[in-house]
Amino acid sequence: MTNRILKNQFVNSNLGKGIYPTDLEQSLSAELIENGIKLITVRNDSECKEVEYATEWTEYPIGTLYLTWTTCGNLKQTEKEFHQSDSSFIEVFGIGNNWLIWTDSDFI
């Protein structure tokens, strides 16, 4: 799914913007909705590729949980078992293979 998103013409003409699944062609839209994705944001250039999925997963009751595939920035964050939490509302969990989960529990 991530590769399809990175190759999608509509996505690539809207880089850096929030894209709703319903903005995309039917099969990709249905797959995103079926997987509980409410919004994607994409970066796609020669130095950095990233697809961030904002989820509607009800297991995370406060704020938003994001699933991100990335080749950008601090890839240590994507290493399996990586965990970072500070006094803010952001928490990062590395799950391996360029994937991480981050949460934003700020209620505002």
Side-chain angles (χ1 to χ4, degrees), residues 37 39-42 50-54 66-69 102:
I37 305 302
L39 187 75
I40 62 170
T41 307
V42 178
E50 182 172 278
V51 179
E52 182 173 83
Y53 303 88
Y66 298 86
L67 178 63
T68 304
W69 179 87
W102 69 277

Side-chain angles (χ1 to χ4, degrees), residues 38-52:
K38 64 180 177 181
L39 187 75
I40 62 170
T41 307
V42 178
R43 182 172 173 188
N44 190 5
D45 59 52
S46 61
E47 296 177 13
C48 172
K49 298 187 182 318
E50 182 172 278
V51 179
E52 182 173 83

Side-chain angles (χ1 to χ4, degrees), residues 10-78:
F10 179 80
V11 168
N12 283 298
S13 65
N14 288 281
L15 296 174
K17 298 177 183 176
I19 300 170
Y20 294 97
T22 54
D23 295 336
L24 301 169
E25 52 91 8
Q26 178 60 36
S27 66
L28 186 54
S29 175
E31 189 174 352
L32 288 165
I33 291 167
E34 181 179 305
N35 284 291
I37 305 302
K38 64 180 177 181
L39 187 75
I40 62 170
T41 307
V42 178
R43 182 172 173 188
N44 190 5
D45 59 52
S46 61
E47 296 177 13
C48 172
K49 298 187 182 318
E50 182 172 278
V51 179
E52 182 173 83
Y53 303 88
T55 72
E56 293 184 320
W57 298 346
T58 58
E59 293 81 18
Y60 189 71
I62 301 171
T64 302
L65 187 141
Y66 298 86
L67 178 63
T68 304
W69 179 87
T70 186
T71 64
C72 311
N74 181 4
L75 293 181
K76 181 170 180 59
Q77 292 183 326
T78 67

